[in-house]
Amino acid sequence: VAKVCSFSARAVLTGDAFLSLDEIGIPIEVSKGLTVWETVTRHNFEDMKNEYNQVHGYFRALMYIRSGVKTDLTQCEVYNVEIGDEVARPIKDGDLVFCNRPPSVHKHSLIGLKVRILDIPTFSINPLICPPMGADFDGDCLAVFVPQSMESRAEVDLAMAENQMLTSHGGVCTFGLTQDSLLAAHKLTSSQVLVKKETMEQGCLWSDSWMPKPAIIKSPKGAFFTGSQFYQLPLPKGFDYSEPGVLISGSEILESRGQVGWLGNSNGLLRSIVERYGCHVALNYLSSCQIMLTLWLSQVGFSTGLRDVYETCNSKTRGGMKNEIRKTFDEFEYRSNSKIQSLNCLSSIQEESINGHIRKHGMQSPSFEELRIQYMQELMSRIQDVILKYVPEDNSMMKMVAAGSKGSV
């Protein structure tokens, strides 16, 4: 961990779900060498005086300018703060910095974040902010730049995550639920999941919401809430949303039939919150969701094994699945042959059938090319439906595929 140029730092990147989307965790050792110039006024005189007394002799690179003369504070035994001094103080919680993961390939690769000084060895950010920067946690390095002039501070304020919720080129949401958080949201809203009262209390704490009435008031193990009741806690007050299979009224999830598109970041739930309540509310919603979903998934657990690699472990069931897939291939081969004959394409194309596939030779017309792509897409969709019909409900990999968090059939 070292500075690569003046007023900047570079370190390995790690994730922290308990950070807000507009925050970055800075190690204490790095913060000692990052300074920002601040003018002492009558409004911040006491704060600057107390801050100097706390950090003198502990932080390096402290300097001040008085009457145009720059002096190193580390060489001064006594320094009395005066109004009008310009002091190079170390960065502290709440300061704004530019962050990017090189290389920056588009506008949203450079994001402004608020500093939080932590006792950690690396930079840390919320995992939900990784997509626009193209970052992950497999050893990527993050660069941090501390603005010095008033102009650059104004620029970093414009580049804050809150002001980049929507992309400039497509108008879709820049951030959204991904990976584990999307999987947890899908499991909570699409299955018969019950949540304990203790977990609901933690959710209320992180979402600043009142606890709803339990779905099961009395049982040998106490009261229980549904997964939808847990997920609706961070929703804005009085929020209404509806689409096929999903209905939210008064911030209460009344229906969610296993759909995953509304949990994504394109034109679903998050986009609706941005349009109605603004980017600040949407950012708080995502931050609360990430913490709550991470806590819940950590409590219930989720893992995969070799058993999840196979569609089914039963040999008879596997044989039935292969037969149905083979019949689907034959059906689509017959349909495609019939369509080709109706288009009179067989006169210039030689046809050869191998293992249920159709291989073409010679000149191909645009109409035949479009037809082949259409039938191939339909065939793959049908095969996926057949596989999903035979896969056990407890298959962890298929749960990730169904949630859209990872992988595909």
Side-chain angles (χ1 to χ4, degrees):
V1 179
K3 295 172 66 174
V4 295
C5 63
S6 300
F7 311 111
S8 67
R10 182 185 178 98
V12 175
L13 181 63
T14 56
D16 187 350
F18 291 89
L19 288 175
S20 176
L21 262 72
D22 61 348
E23 289 182 331
I24 176 172
I26 302 283
I28 295 177
E29 290 299 322
V30 175
S31 67
K32 293 178 182 179
L34 295 177
T35 58
V36 58
W37 287 97
E38 184 170 347
T39 303
V40 180
T41 65
R42 61 185 180 89
H43 301 288
N44 64 356
F45 176 78
E46 292 297 332
D47 293 337
M48 294 297 294
K49 182 179 179 180
N50 295 334
E51 184 172 347
Y52 168 74
N53 292 333
Q54 292 174 3
V55 305
H56 181 60
Y58 179 71
F59 287 92
R60 61 180 183 271
L62 288 176
M63 307 188 74
Y64 78 96
I65 298 177
R66 180 181 295 173
S67 302
V69 179
K70 182 182 293 187
T71 306
D72 188 352
L73 284 174
T74 59
Q75 305 299 325
C76 299
E77 295 183 359
V78 179
Y79 166 62
N80 296 319
V81 179
E82 296 182 3
I83 295 178
D85 290 350
E86 292 186 28
V87 180
R89 62 165 178 81
I91 60 173
K92 60 182 180 180
D93 291 348
D95 285 340
L96 305 184
V97 295
F98 284 107
C99 303
N100 85 303
R101 176 220 174 242
S104 297
V105 295
H106 59 88
K107 172 183 176 181
H108 302 287
S109 297
L110 189 65
I111 300 178
L113 299 176
K114 292 188 295 185
V115 171
R116 180 187 286 189
I117 308 299
L118 299 174
D119 188 12
I120 54 177
T122 63
F123 290 155
S124 61
I125 60 174
N126 192 298
L128 299 187
I129 207 173
C130 288
M133 294 192 292
D136 49 35
F137 306 122
D138 59 357
D140 289 4
C141 288
L142 189 73
V144 170
F145 304 92
V146 183
Q148 300 297 309
S149 65
M150 296 302 297
E151 293 81 1
S152 60
R153 295 181 192 180
E155 290 179 353
V156 72
D157 187 62
L158 295 175
M160 290 295 292
E162 179 179 331
N163 298 324
Q164 299 196 55
M165 283 294 296
L166 300 179
T167 60
S168 57
H169 53 277
V172 299
C173 292
T174 309
F175 317 112
L177 298 179
T178 59
Q179 307 288 342
D180 293 344
S181 58
L182 182 59
L183 172 64
H186 176 69
K187 288 172 65 65
L188 284 168
T189 57
S190 63
S191 57
Q192 301 298 324
V193 174
L194 294 178
V195 179
K196 295 181 179 180
K197 181 181 179 181
E198 294 78 10
T199 305
M200 285 295 294
E201 290 175 345
Q202 290 185 358
C204 293
L205 173 66
W206 290 107
S207 62
D208 194 21
S209 300
W210 293 98
M211 185 180 298
K213 293 182 179 180
I216 300 177
I217 299 177
K218 188 175 182 180
S219 73
K221 295 184 178 181
F224 285 93
F225 301 80
T226 64
S228 295
Q229 285 181 304
F230 182 75
Y231 184 76
Q232 72 190 21
L233 290 177
L235 291 176
K237 300 295 186 294
F239 178 69
D240 298 327
Y241 179 80
S242 64
E243 69 171 53
V246 180
L247 177 61
I248 301 176
S249 178
S251 303
E252 182 178 358
I253 301 178
L254 303 178
E255 181 184 10
S256 58
R257 297 200 301 264
Q259 303 293 327
V260 296
W262 67 287
L263 296 171
N265 61 354
S266 55
N267 292 304
L269 178 67
L270 181 60
R271 177 61 183 271
S272 182
I273 295 176
V274 172
E275 293 176 348
R276 299 183 189 182
Y277 298 92
C279 297
H280 180 71
V281 175
L283 202 69
N284 291 337
Y285 157 78
L286 278 180
S287 299
S288 298
C289 278
Q290 177 69 1
I291 296 176
M292 292 170 50
L293 296 174
T294 301
L295 286 173
W296 178 79
L297 195 62
S298 300
Q299 292 176 1
V300 300
F302 185 85
S303 61
T304 60
L306 292 177
R307 178 176 176 272
D308 300 312
V309 176
Y310 297 95
E311 297 84 359
T312 174
C313 296
N314 190 304
S315 58
K316 293 183 179 179
T317 306
R318 193 184 304 116
M321 180 182 65
K322 291 181 179 179
N323 291 333
E324 190 167 348
I325 293 176
R326 196 174 294 111
K327 290 180 181 179
T328 304
F329 268 110
D330 295 338
E331 176 189 346
F332 271 81
E333 181 180 7
Y334 175 78
R335 287 176 54 189
S336 61
N337 287 339
S338 301
K339 189 66 176 179
I340 290 173
Q341 291 177 359
S342 65
L343 294 176
N344 296 323
C345 294
L346 293 179
S347 58
S348 59
I349 302 176
Q350 180 183 2
E351 178 176 345
E352 177 184 2
S353 179
I354 299 179
N355 295 331
H357 296 278
I358 300 177
R359 180 175 295 176
K360 305 297 176 182
H361 302 277
M363 298 298 293
Q364 299 180 356
S365 64
S367 60
F368 174 76
E369 186 69 22
E370 295 173 0
L371 179 67
R372 183 171 65 175
I373 295 175
Q374 175 187 347
Y375 274 102
M376 183 58 68
Q377 291 175 346
E378 294 180 7
L379 175 61
M380 297 305 297
S381 178
R382 283 280 298 276
I383 293 176
Q384 178 174 334
D385 294 338
V386 172
I387 295 175
L388 292 176
K389 186 171 66 174
Y390 286 90
V391 173
E393 294 183 357
D394 60 347
N395 188 289
S396 297
M397 284 194 172
M398 296 312 300
K399 287 182 179 180
M400 290 189 289
V401 172
S405 64
K406 210 64 173 171
S408 63
V409 176

